[in-house]
Amino acid sequence: MDLSHWVDIVTIIISSELSVAELTDPCEKKYELNGKSMKIEGLSGKGYKLPETKNKDDHRRYEISFSQKQFMDACKSIGASPITYLSILMSRGIKEISLDCDKTIVSNFPMDARHILACDDTFKNCVKSMTLPYGKEEENLSDSELAAKYKKLLNAQKEHDYCAKEFNNINMLLSVIGHFHSFAGRQKLLGFMENLALDTYLISYIGQFDMPSELVDEVHLYSNCSSGLVLNMTCQSGKFIIDLTQDFSTDKYVNALKKQFENAGIDLVVSDEIIFETPFDELSEIITSPADTGELVRDWFDKFVAAAKASSQAAKERAEAARNMSPQITALYYDVASGTMKSFDPTKNTKEEMQKLVENASSLLIS
């Protein structure tokens, strides 16, 4: 019996013990929008990218621990949550040591969207990303002012329409992936996402663990470092623990964060650099390079480009020619500028549409 049959059997067994609400798939339907404006003033589009992320190296981490009481007292004094206060400290630390930084520093956070999308009980993935900016305007704010601004920005990103639009984009992407029936085919199609790293860094805080302190001293969460600089924070036995992970060689970011904690009067313990590897399953051995997928569509793409360049007719005639060339083709791409999936429309101005594909060629999806 092959792996797919085992997966089917396990899925059937698990499904039989779960309710309809638990089996709800948040990415299976299109969400209706309430008509509210989804533009959020103050968010930054493209953020500062850490220069070290260009030079991949061994996976490494630093373990940081500090008093829960000291940290929470500092949070309460400025009206911040643990995750927003950590963002303030990390972003400020990066800004102070990055003299060449002329862009906004952006921190990213995973957020549970189950309640917002009315699927509270689902066991399936229902997580989106939120961001907080740290630019020239934020530099001039006090900690209390910055905490208040960050609270408003996070609340705005939790609005129904804002979340629903992002999940509608995911739904559109999955509909294209659904045309590929093999696991390997789907993995190759999504290969362009393997090296995507969010600007500037990522924070993940799973919350406080409720385990006997006499049995568990600390909880550590870490995975491979393909996302660049990541701070995984937990809380257990009266202290916070941060596993700061990265896949490049420098201690300047952990030292920058350490300095900010010291300035805030919070005592902390920082480990030496720890080189590590994470295990992987055998499925990775059957995955081939995402470049193979590009080869499959290259002929079509080359013909389309050649036809678009050669055509000197009106926009309507060019659009008709494009439809005749590929009547069954759906083309999507991941728009780096907006961070969303978008569709390619050959019925519009060919030059403008082609420019979009050129700028986002690495994420072109065709079915």
Side-chain angles (χ1 to χ4, degrees), residues 56-182:
K56 301 291 185 181
D57 203 341
D58 290 332
H59 295 187
R60 60 198 72 216
R61 77 178 192 274
Y62 298 88
E63 296 177 354
I64 307 169
S65 61
F66 45 95
S67 163
Q68 179 182 3
K69 184 179 185 309
Q70 273 192 322
F71 191 69
M72 290 307 301
D73 286 346
C75 289
K76 292 174 183 177
S77 69
I78 64 169
S81 66
I83 198 168
T84 53
Y85 191 44
L86 179 57
S87 176
I88 291 172
L89 298 179
M90 187 73 258
S91 293
R92 183 179 290 150
I94 293 175
K95 186 66 176 180
E96 288 186 1
I97 64 173
S98 304
L99 302 179
D100 62 335
C101 175
D102 58 353
K103 293 182 178 179
T104 300
I105 293 169
V106 179
S107 52
N108 299 267
F109 314 87
M111 185 203 85
D112 182 357
R114 286 175 174 81
H115 182 66
I116 299 169
L117 299 178
C119 50
D120 301 70
D121 297 326
T122 183
F123 81 93
K124 298 189 177 182
N125 182 40
C126 190
V127 176
K128 65 178 288 294
S129 180
M130 298 191 294
T131 65
L132 289 176
Y134 190 86
K136 292 181 180 179
E137 180 180 331
E138 287 74 26
E139 282 186 81
N140 297 319
L141 298 178
S142 67
D143 284 357
S144 297
E145 292 171 330
L146 190 51
K149 178 176 182 177
Y150 280 178
K151 183 178 181 180
K152 288 182 180 179
L153 288 175
L154 291 178
N155 286 337
Q157 293 175 79
K158 295 176 184 178
E159 286 287 337
H160 174 271
D161 279 15
Y162 197 83
C163 294
K165 183 181 178 182
E166 292 192 34
F167 274 83
N168 284 343
N169 284 326
I170 295 173
N171 190 1
M172 182 168 62
L173 172 60
L174 293 178
S175 68
V176 175
I177 297 173
H179 292 296
F180 290 77
H181 300 294
S182 71

Side-chain angles (χ1 to χ4, degrees), residues 287-299:
I287 308 305
T288 54
S289 168
D292 294 344
T293 305
E295 290 293 335
L296 297 176
V297 302
R298 179 171 295 175
D299 287 344

